[in-house]
Amino acid sequence: MLGRMVGEELASARASALVAPEVVEIAREADLLVLNLECCIAEQGAPRPKVFTFRAPPAAVDLLVHLGVDCVTLANNHALDYGPDALAETLERLSGAGIAAVGAGASLEEARCAAVLEADGGRLAVLGAGDHPEDFAAGTARPGIAYADFERGVPTWLVETIWATQSDAVLVTPHWGPNMTSAPLAYVRAAARELRAAGATLVAGHSAHVFHGVAPGILFDLGDFLDDYAVDPGLRNDLGLLFLVDLRHRGVERIEAVPLKLEYCFTRLARGEEAAWIRQRFTRACAELGTSVVAEGGRLVVGAR
């Protein structure tokens, strides 16, 4: 989330000042970097009448480029916070920086369209979809997000789009479930299984603002990476994970998670007690989903039990 106070920091400081260099170095290890952009990046538009509205300044694009971001999903509850003109400007600014966007667009067709990324001789298709709010849903000629009511299951259009992708692997990145939950709800688990059965190589969800456990081929919730949010002392949403996933031979071969500390508008590597708390909580969360966690060189490696 690059709006609000993070946006003010971006407007007054270099983009590189918001993420510690060692975190950037790890992020750039990836052949491809994909994230959920929980705001618009625009100067246009007016805020909608809702509790939280997030709009980032144009300098936010510089931060995404600094991190090495290749693709973002905009299928979330903040993509239209400042209206369709701000969404259009966001898409234009991302495109101008060479960053693909999925999950939102000027029409239903654009919002549901996959982005195909190429790296290391392979092709990765990325699809975004969000289950809230319904009034952000794109229409035939109406800007909006790729809406999917996951409580009712995975929609046919999403299954058909997965089948139609011409790629070596498919990443589906849904924005699903309520905020501030420590584990995926039953319908999220069911939808994740459906997506995998439909052909998704990897499912990587978000919305809870807290990282969840991992099941084979499923990252139920990535948690947060950079924000100015208030800290819940029980859920510790100021402690996060950066996920590195090795995709080979049309499958997930390895998942590593790097412990992070999210300070106010600044992200660095977790240390000491912070890293220990993350390791313990992530280990428990994964065990509940049938996977194990081993610490290796400051990273948490997920394996089958």
Side-chain angles (χ1 to χ4, degrees):
M1 196 286 289
L2 305 180
R4 208 163 56 181
M5 299 307 296
V6 181
E8 290 191 19
E9 290 291 323
L10 280 167
S12 62
R14 290 182 302 173
S16 59
L18 275 70
V19 181
E22 60 270 23
V23 176
V24 177
E25 182 179 354
I26 293 170
R28 284 183 166 273
E29 288 181 17
D31 295 306
L32 296 170
L33 182 59
V34 181
L35 56 76
N36 169 52
L37 183 61
E38 193 112 343
C39 61
C40 58
I41 300 176
E43 295 178 302
Q44 300 183 70
R48 285 178 174 248
K50 57 198 293 266
V51 177
F52 298 113
T53 53
F54 300 140
R55 178 175 63 176
V61 174
D62 298 333
L63 175 59
L64 299 180
V65 172
H66 178 64
L67 289 169
V69 173
D70 296 281
C71 179
V72 304
T73 175
L74 294 167
N76 58 58
N77 54 312
H78 294 289
L80 280 168
D81 276 359
Y82 282 75
D85 289 342
L87 173 60
E89 184 181 345
T90 302
L91 293 166
E92 183 178 353
R93 290 185 180 278
L94 291 169
S95 177
I99 299 171
V102 297
S107 65
L108 187 63
E109 182 180 5
E110 285 188 19
R112 292 178 174 180
C113 187
V116 179
L117 313 176
E118 298 187 12
D120 196 25
R123 290 162 56 87
L124 174 70
V126 183
L127 288 162
D131 69 1
H132 63 284
E134 188 173 359
D135 64 356
F136 274 19
T140 304
R142 183 178 69 247
I145 68 170
Y147 176 75
D149 185 355
F150 288 114
E151 288 197 67
R152 295 178 179 270
V154 175
T156 301
W157 71 261
L158 185 49
V159 172
E160 292 175 346
T161 306
I162 293 172
W163 289 346
T165 58
Q166 300 295 314
S167 58
D168 300 299
V170 180
L171 164 63
V172 180
T173 177
H175 199 72
W176 53 15
N179 292 349
M180 307 309 287
T181 58
S182 59
L185 300 183
Y187 82 83
V188 169
R189 299 186 193 203
R193 291 192 296 269
E194 284 187 57
L195 288 168
R196 288 276 288 161
T201 314
L202 177 69
V203 177
H206 32 82
S207 182
H209 301 295
V210 178
F211 65 80
H212 289 175
V214 172
I218 304 169
L219 312 177
F220 285 102
D221 203 291
L222 303 175
D224 290 343
F225 180 77
L226 176 65
D227 59 56
D228 66 355
Y229 302 151
V231 177
D232 184 297
L235 292 172
R236 292 302 304 271
N237 56 305
D238 61 324
L239 298 177
L241 291 168
L242 171 61
F243 288 91
L244 300 172
V245 183
D246 190 358
L247 298 175
R248 296 183 189 275
H249 309 299
R250 301 186 67 84
V252 176
E253 289 218 341
R254 183 178 174 91
I255 298 175
E256 296 181 1
V258 180
L260 300 175
K261 166 63 174 167
L262 280 65
E263 296 182 349
Y264 185 75
C265 305
F266 179 73
T267 300
R268 59 169 172 81
L269 293 180
R271 300 186 290 259
E273 176 276 332
E274 302 160 346
W277 190 95
I278 293 170
R279 182 178 66 252
Q280 292 168 5
R281 184 182 177 281
F282 189 53
T283 299
R284 290 195 304 269
C286 286
E288 292 173 1
L289 297 168
T291 53
S292 62
V293 176
V294 176
E296 292 185 9
R299 301 185 182 187
L300 305 175
V301 181
V302 181
R305 293 184 67 189

PDB file of all heavy atoms in Angstrom, residues 2 39 41 44-45 51-53 62 72 83 104 112-113 119 137 143 147 175 195-196 204 219 234 239 245 259 264:
ATOM      1  N   LEU A   2       0.810   2.014  -1.080  1.00  0.00           N
ATOM      2  CA  LEU A   2       1.739   3.124  -1.271  1.00  0.00           C
ATOM      3  C   LEU A   2       1.047   4.483  -1.163  1.00  0.00           C
ATOM      4  O   LEU A   2       1.628   5.497  -1.551  1.00  0.00           O
ATOM      5  CB  LEU A   2       2.431   2.988  -2.635  1.00  0.00           C
ATOM      6  CG  LEU A   2       3.143   1.648  -2.868  1.00  0.00           C
ATOM      7  CD1 LEU A   2       3.787   1.620  -4.249  1.00  0.00           C
ATOM      8  CD2 LEU A   2       4.167   1.376  -1.782  1.00  0.00           C
ATOM      9  N   CYS A  39      -3.676   0.125  -4.005  1.00  0.00           N
ATOM     10  CA  CYS A  39      -3.949   1.565  -4.155  1.00  0.00           C
ATOM     11  C   CYS A  39      -3.939   1.878  -5.639  1.00  0.00           C
ATOM     12  O   CYS A  39      -3.533   1.057  -6.456  1.00  0.00           O
ATOM     13  CB  CYS A  39      -2.875   2.403  -3.440  1.00  0.00           C
ATOM     14  SG  CYS A  39      -1.199   2.167  -4.082  1.00  0.00           S
ATOM     15  N   ILE A  41      -2.306   4.675  -8.439  1.00  0.00           N
ATOM     16  CA  ILE A  41      -1.172   5.595  -8.569  1.00  0.00           C
ATOM     17  C   ILE A  41      -1.616   6.673  -9.545  1.00  0.00           C
ATOM     18  O   ILE A  41      -1.673   6.440 -10.759  1.00  0.00           O
ATOM     19  CB  ILE A  41       0.085   4.879  -9.086  1.00  0.00           C
ATOM     20  CG1 ILE A  41       0.499   3.760  -8.131  1.00  0.00           C
ATOM     21  CG2 ILE A  41       1.234   5.866  -9.258  1.00  0.00           C
ATOM     22  CD1 ILE A  41       1.682   2.933  -8.618  1.00  0.00           C
ATOM     23  N   GLN A  44      -5.207  12.197 -10.683  1.00  0.00           N
ATOM     24  CA  GLN A  44      -6.602  12.475 -11.002  1.00  0.00           C
ATOM     25  C   GLN A  44      -7.530  11.839  -9.980  1.00  0.00           C
ATOM     26  O   GLN A  44      -7.126  11.029  -9.155  1.00  0.00           O
ATOM     27  CB  GLN A  44      -6.941  11.923 -12.389  1.00  0.00           C
ATOM     28  CG  GLN A  44      -6.133  12.472 -13.529  1.00  0.00           C
ATOM     29  CD  GLN A  44      -6.598  11.905 -14.851  1.00  0.00           C
ATOM     30  OE1 GLN A  44      -7.696  12.227 -15.318  1.00  0.00           O
ATOM     31  NE2 GLN A  44      -5.784  11.046 -15.451  1.00  0.00           N
ATOM     32  N   GLY A  45      -8.813  12.197 -10.094  1.00  0.00           N
ATOM     33  CA  GLY A  45      -9.862  11.536  -9.338  1.00  0.00           C
ATOM     34  C   GLY A  45     -10.199  12.183  -8.019  1.00  0.00           C
ATOM     35  O   GLY A  45      -9.461  13.022  -7.494  1.00  0.00           O
ATOM     36  N   VAL A  51     -14.403   4.370   4.144  1.00  0.00           N
ATOM     37  CA  VAL A  51     -13.568   4.627   5.321  1.00  0.00           C
ATOM     38  C   VAL A  51     -12.123   4.859   4.944  1.00  0.00           C
ATOM     39  O   VAL A  51     -11.493   5.839   5.375  1.00  0.00           O
ATOM     40  CB  VAL A  51     -13.673   3.453   6.326  1.00  0.00           C
ATOM     41  CG1 VAL A  51     -12.740   3.699   7.519  1.00  0.00           C
ATOM     42  CG2 VAL A  51     -15.110   3.295   6.806  1.00  0.00           C
ATOM     43  N   PHE A  52     -11.546   3.981   4.127  1.00  0.00           N
ATOM     44  CA  PHE A  52     -10.147   4.088   3.732  1.00  0.00           C
ATOM     45  C   PHE A  52     -10.047   4.233   2.224  1.00  0.00           C
ATOM     46  O   PHE A  52     -10.571   3.393   1.485  1.00  0.00           O
ATOM     47  CB  PHE A  52      -9.348   2.855   4.173  1.00  0.00           C
ATOM     48  CG  PHE A  52      -9.317   2.656   5.664  1.00  0.00           C
ATOM     49  CD1 PHE A  52      -9.951   1.569   6.242  1.00  0.00           C
ATOM     50  CD2 PHE A  52      -8.652   3.551   6.487  1.00  0.00           C
ATOM     51  CE1 PHE A  52      -9.928   1.366   7.611  1.00  0.00           C
ATOM     52  CE2 PHE A  52      -8.628   3.362   7.862  1.00  0.00           C
ATOM     53  CZ  PHE A  52      -9.265   2.273   8.429  1.00  0.00           C
ATOM     54  N   THR A  53      -9.376   5.277   1.778  1.00  0.00           N
ATOM     55  CA  THR A  53      -9.117   5.458   0.355  1.00  0.00           C
ATOM     56  C   THR A  53      -7.621   5.685   0.178  1.00  0.00           C
ATOM     57  O   THR A  53      -7.025   6.524   0.859  1.00  0.00           O
ATOM     58  CB  THR A  53      -9.897   6.654  -0.222  1.00  0.00           C
ATOM     59  OG1 THR A  53      -9.633   7.830   0.554  1.00  0.00           O
ATOM     60  CG2 THR A  53     -11.388   6.376  -0.214  1.00  0.00           C
ATOM     61  N   ASP A  62       8.348   4.690  -9.221  1.00  0.00           N
ATOM     62  CA  ASP A  62       9.796   4.583  -9.048  1.00  0.00           C
ATOM     63  C   ASP A  62      10.149   3.500  -8.030  1.00  0.00           C
ATOM     64  O   ASP A  62      11.145   2.786  -8.193  1.00  0.00           O
ATOM     65  CB  ASP A  62      10.386   5.923  -8.593  1.00  0.00           C
ATOM     66  CG  ASP A  62      10.177   7.040  -9.606  1.00  0.00           C
ATOM     67  OD1 ASP A  62      10.065   6.724 -10.810  1.00  0.00           O
ATOM     68  OD2 ASP A  62      10.119   8.217  -9.199  1.00  0.00           O
ATOM     69  N   VAL A  72       1.700  -6.394 -11.386  1.00  0.00           N
ATOM     70  CA  VAL A  72       0.879  -6.179 -10.197  1.00  0.00           C
ATOM     71  C   VAL A  72      -0.543  -6.624 -10.495  1.00  0.00           C
ATOM     72  O   VAL A  72      -0.987  -6.604 -11.642  1.00  0.00           O
ATOM     73  CB  VAL A  72       0.862  -4.696  -9.757  1.00  0.00           C
ATOM     74  CG1 VAL A  72       2.272  -4.188  -9.519  1.00  0.00           C
ATOM     75  CG2 VAL A  72       0.140  -3.806 -10.767  1.00  0.00           C
ATOM     76  N   GLY A  83     -11.915   6.534  -8.359  1.00  0.00           N
ATOM     77  CA  GLY A  83     -12.713   6.512  -9.560  1.00  0.00           C
ATOM     78  C   GLY A  83     -12.027   5.952 -10.793  1.00  0.00           C
ATOM     79  O   GLY A  83     -10.830   5.624 -10.772  1.00  0.00           O
ATOM     80  N   ALA A 104      -7.777  -5.735 -13.293  1.00  0.00           N
ATOM     81  CA  ALA A 104      -8.590  -4.523 -13.436  1.00  0.00           C
ATOM     82  C   ALA A 104      -8.340  -3.960 -14.823  1.00  0.00           C
ATOM     83  O   ALA A 104      -7.289  -4.187 -15.428  1.00  0.00           O
ATOM     84  CB  ALA A 104      -8.253  -3.496 -12.365  1.00  0.00           C
ATOM     85  N   ARG A 112     -10.300  -9.241 -16.894  1.00  0.00           N
ATOM     86  CA  ARG A 112     -10.149 -10.685 -16.759  1.00  0.00           C
ATOM     87  C   ARG A 112      -8.969 -11.252 -17.545  1.00  0.00           C
ATOM     88  O   ARG A 112      -8.653 -12.432 -17.434  1.00  0.00           O
ATOM     89  CB  ARG A 112     -11.432 -11.378 -17.219  1.00  0.00           C
ATOM     90  CG  ARG A 112     -12.618 -11.124 -16.307  1.00  0.00           C
ATOM     91  CD  ARG A 112     -13.868 -11.814 -16.847  1.00  0.00           C
ATOM     92  NE  ARG A 112     -14.993 -11.707 -15.918  1.00  0.00           N
ATOM     93  CZ  ARG A 112     -16.206 -12.227 -16.148  1.00  0.00           C
ATOM     94  NH1 ARG A 112     -16.418 -12.886 -17.288  1.00  0.00           N
ATOM     95  NH2 ARG A 112     -17.167 -12.085 -15.247  1.00  0.00           N
ATOM     96  N   CYS A 113      -8.318 -10.435 -18.319  1.00  0.00           N
ATOM     97  CA  CYS A 113      -7.247 -10.902 -19.196  1.00  0.00           C
ATOM     98  C   CYS A 113      -5.988 -11.263 -18.401  1.00  0.00           C
ATOM     99  O   CYS A 113      -5.636 -10.609 -17.421  1.00  0.00           O
ATOM    100  CB  CYS A 113      -6.919  -9.816 -20.213  1.00  0.00           C
ATOM    101  SG  CYS A 113      -5.760 -10.332 -21.492  1.00  0.00           S
ATOM    102  N   ALA A 119      10.582 -15.362 -18.622  1.00  0.00           N
ATOM    103  CA  ALA A 119      11.848 -15.321 -17.886  1.00  0.00           C
ATOM    104  C   ALA A 119      12.492 -16.688 -17.913  1.00  0.00           C
ATOM    105  O   ALA A 119      11.796 -17.709 -17.822  1.00  0.00           O
ATOM    106  CB  ALA A 119      11.615 -14.878 -16.440  1.00  0.00           C
ATOM    107  N   ALA A 137     -16.906  -4.146  -9.560  1.00  0.00           N
ATOM    108  CA  ALA A 137     -16.815  -5.106 -10.663  1.00  0.00           C
ATOM    109  C   ALA A 137     -16.852  -4.405 -12.014  1.00  0.00           C
ATOM    110  O   ALA A 137     -17.661  -3.500 -12.250  1.00  0.00           O
ATOM    111  CB  ALA A 137     -17.951  -6.114 -10.568  1.00  0.00           C
ATOM    112  N   PRO A 143     -15.216   0.379 -16.478  1.00  0.00           N
ATOM    113  CA  PRO A 143     -13.952   0.086 -15.796  1.00  0.00           C
ATOM    114  C   PRO A 143     -14.191  -0.552 -14.432  1.00  0.00           C
ATOM    115  O   PRO A 143     -15.182  -0.258 -13.757  1.00  0.00           O
ATOM    116  CB  PRO A 143     -13.295   1.466 -15.647  1.00  0.00           C
ATOM    117  CG  PRO A 143     -13.976   2.339 -16.635  1.00  0.00           C
ATOM    118  CD  PRO A 143     -15.381   1.827 -16.731  1.00  0.00           C
ATOM    119  N   TYR A 147     -14.146  -9.281 -10.836  1.00  0.00           N
ATOM    120  CA  TYR A 147     -14.851  -9.699  -9.628  1.00  0.00           C
ATOM    121  C   TYR A 147     -15.155 -11.192  -9.679  1.00  0.00           C
ATOM    122  O   TYR A 147     -15.555 -11.737 -10.709  1.00  0.00           O
ATOM    123  CB  TYR A 147     -16.156  -8.920  -9.478  1.00  0.00           C
ATOM    124  CG  TYR A 147     -16.996  -9.354  -8.303  1.00  0.00           C
ATOM    125  CD1 TYR A 147     -16.630  -8.992  -7.009  1.00  0.00           C
ATOM    126  CD2 TYR A 147     -18.134 -10.137  -8.488  1.00  0.00           C
ATOM    127  CE1 TYR A 147     -17.394  -9.402  -5.918  1.00  0.00           C
ATOM    128  CE2 TYR A 147     -18.904 -10.543  -7.414  1.00  0.00           C
ATOM    129  CZ  TYR A 147     -18.526 -10.177  -6.125  1.00  0.00           C
ATOM    130  OH  TYR A 147     -19.278 -10.587  -5.052  1.00  0.00           O
ATOM    131  N   HIS A 175      -7.689 -11.741  -4.411  1.00  0.00           N
ATOM    132  CA  HIS A 175      -7.891 -10.908  -3.224  1.00  0.00           C
ATOM    133  C   HIS A 175      -9.175 -11.414  -2.595  1.00  0.00           C
ATOM    134  O   HIS A 175     -10.266 -11.154  -3.094  1.00  0.00           O
ATOM    135  CB  HIS A 175      -8.024  -9.440  -3.646  1.00  0.00           C
ATOM    136  CG  HIS A 175      -7.775  -8.471  -2.529  1.00  0.00           C
ATOM    137  ND1 HIS A 175      -6.529  -8.240  -2.007  1.00  0.00           N
ATOM    138  CD2 HIS A 175      -8.616  -7.655  -1.844  1.00  0.00           C
ATOM    139  CE1 HIS A 175      -6.596  -7.327  -1.052  1.00  0.00           C
ATOM    140  NE2 HIS A 175      -7.859  -6.961  -0.931  1.00  0.00           N
ATOM    141  N   LEU A 195      -9.100 -23.926  -7.753  1.00  0.00           N
ATOM    142  CA  LEU A 195      -8.184 -23.264  -8.681  1.00  0.00           C
ATOM    143  C   LEU A 195      -7.031 -24.186  -9.063  1.00  0.00           C
ATOM    144  O   LEU A 195      -6.622 -24.251 -10.220  1.00  0.00           O
ATOM    145  CB  LEU A 195      -7.651 -21.968  -8.065  1.00  0.00           C
ATOM    146  CG  LEU A 195      -8.650 -20.819  -7.970  1.00  0.00           C
ATOM    147  CD1 LEU A 195      -8.109 -19.706  -7.080  1.00  0.00           C
ATOM    148  CD2 LEU A 195      -8.978 -20.279  -9.365  1.00  0.00           C
ATOM    149  N   ARG A 196      -6.524 -24.902  -8.084  1.00  0.00           N
ATOM    150  CA  ARG A 196      -5.450 -25.851  -8.379  1.00  0.00           C
ATOM    151  C   ARG A 196      -5.960 -26.969  -9.299  1.00  0.00           C
ATOM    152  O   ARG A 196      -5.291 -27.363 -10.258  1.00  0.00           O
ATOM    153  CB  ARG A 196      -4.916 -26.440  -7.082  1.00  0.00           C
ATOM    154  CG  ARG A 196      -4.094 -25.467  -6.268  1.00  0.00           C
ATOM    155  CD  ARG A 196      -2.662 -25.440  -6.741  1.00  0.00           C
ATOM    156  NE  ARG A 196      -1.977 -26.679  -6.354  1.00  0.00           N
ATOM    157  CZ  ARG A 196      -0.863 -27.108  -6.907  1.00  0.00           C
ATOM    158  NH1 ARG A 196      -0.303 -26.442  -7.891  1.00  0.00           N
ATOM    159  NH2 ARG A 196      -0.288 -28.233  -6.491  1.00  0.00           N
ATOM    160  N   ALA A 204      -1.709 -17.594  -5.076  1.00  0.00           N
ATOM    161  CA  ALA A 204      -1.109 -16.698  -4.078  1.00  0.00           C
ATOM    162  C   ALA A 204      -2.105 -15.606  -3.734  1.00  0.00           C
ATOM    163  O   ALA A 204      -2.301 -14.661  -4.499  1.00  0.00           O
ATOM    164  CB  ALA A 204       0.197 -16.089  -4.611  1.00  0.00           C
ATOM    165  N   LEU A 219      -0.389 -20.394  -1.514  1.00  0.00           N
ATOM    166  CA  LEU A 219      -0.059 -19.388  -0.505  1.00  0.00           C
ATOM    167  C   LEU A 219      -1.371 -18.668  -0.213  1.00  0.00           C
ATOM    168  O   LEU A 219      -1.789 -17.796  -0.976  1.00  0.00           O
ATOM    169  CB  LEU A 219       0.998 -18.414  -1.043  1.00  0.00           C
ATOM    170  CG  LEU A 219       2.229 -19.019  -1.735  1.00  0.00           C
ATOM    171  CD1 LEU A 219       3.133 -17.910  -2.285  1.00  0.00           C
ATOM    172  CD2 LEU A 219       2.995 -19.909  -0.780  1.00  0.00           C
ATOM    173  N   GLY A 234      -1.984  -8.603  18.737  1.00  0.00           N
ATOM    174  CA  GLY A 234      -2.144 -10.047  18.773  1.00  0.00           C
ATOM    175  C   GLY A 234      -1.753 -10.702  17.459  1.00  0.00           C
ATOM    176  O   GLY A 234      -1.017 -11.690  17.428  1.00  0.00           O
ATOM    177  N   LEU A 239       4.711  -7.853  11.184  1.00  0.00           N
ATOM    178  CA  LEU A 239       5.698  -8.882  10.875  1.00  0.00           C
ATOM    179  C   LEU A 239       5.196  -9.657   9.666  1.00  0.00           C
ATOM    180  O   LEU A 239       4.058 -10.132   9.653  1.00  0.00           O
ATOM    181  CB  LEU A 239       5.912  -9.815  12.072  1.00  0.00           C
ATOM    182  CG  LEU A 239       6.466  -9.143  13.332  1.00  0.00           C
ATOM    183  CD1 LEU A 239       6.568 -10.140  14.477  1.00  0.00           C
ATOM    184  CD2 LEU A 239       7.835  -8.506  13.063  1.00  0.00           C
ATOM    185  N   VAL A 245       9.243 -18.413  -4.774  1.00  0.00           N
ATOM    186  CA  VAL A 245       8.721 -19.700  -5.226  1.00  0.00           C
ATOM    187  C   VAL A 245       9.457 -20.145  -6.480  1.00  0.00           C
ATOM    188  O   VAL A 245       9.562 -19.396  -7.453  1.00  0.00           O
ATOM    189  CB  VAL A 245       7.203 -19.605  -5.517  1.00  0.00           C
ATOM    190  CG1 VAL A 245       6.654 -20.963  -5.929  1.00  0.00           C
ATOM    191  CG2 VAL A 245       6.459 -19.074  -4.295  1.00  0.00           C
ATOM    192  N   PRO A 259      11.578 -13.650   6.488  1.00  0.00           N
ATOM    193  CA  PRO A 259      10.913 -12.857   7.530  1.00  0.00           C
ATOM    194  C   PRO A 259      11.201 -11.362   7.404  1.00  0.00           C
ATOM    195  O   PRO A 259      12.349 -10.954   7.220  1.00  0.00           O
ATOM    196  CB  PRO A 259      11.495 -13.427   8.828  1.00  0.00           C
ATOM    197  CG  PRO A 259      11.953 -14.806   8.475  1.00  0.00           C
ATOM    198  CD  PRO A 259      12.467 -14.684   7.068  1.00  0.00           C
ATOM    199  N   TYR A 264       6.917   1.718  10.330  1.00  0.00           N
ATOM    200  CA  TYR A 264       6.020   2.734   9.770  1.00  0.00           C
ATOM    201  C   TYR A 264       6.609   3.269   8.464  1.00  0.00           C
ATOM    202  O   TYR A 264       7.631   3.953   8.469  1.00  0.00           O
ATOM    203  CB  TYR A 264       5.842   3.854  10.787  1.00  0.00           C
ATOM    204  CG  TYR A 264       4.852   4.921  10.397  1.00  0.00           C
ATOM    205  CD1 TYR A 264       3.489   4.677  10.457  1.00  0.00           C
ATOM    206  CD2 TYR A 264       5.285   6.185   9.985  1.00  0.00           C
ATOM    207  CE1 TYR A 264       2.577   5.653  10.120  1.00  0.00           C
ATOM    208  CE2 TYR A 264       4.384   7.169   9.648  1.00  0.00           C
ATOM    209  CZ  TYR A 264       3.025   6.898   9.719  1.00  0.00           C
ATOM    210  OH  TYR A 264       2.122   7.865   9.380  1.00  0.00           O
TER     211      TYR A 264
END
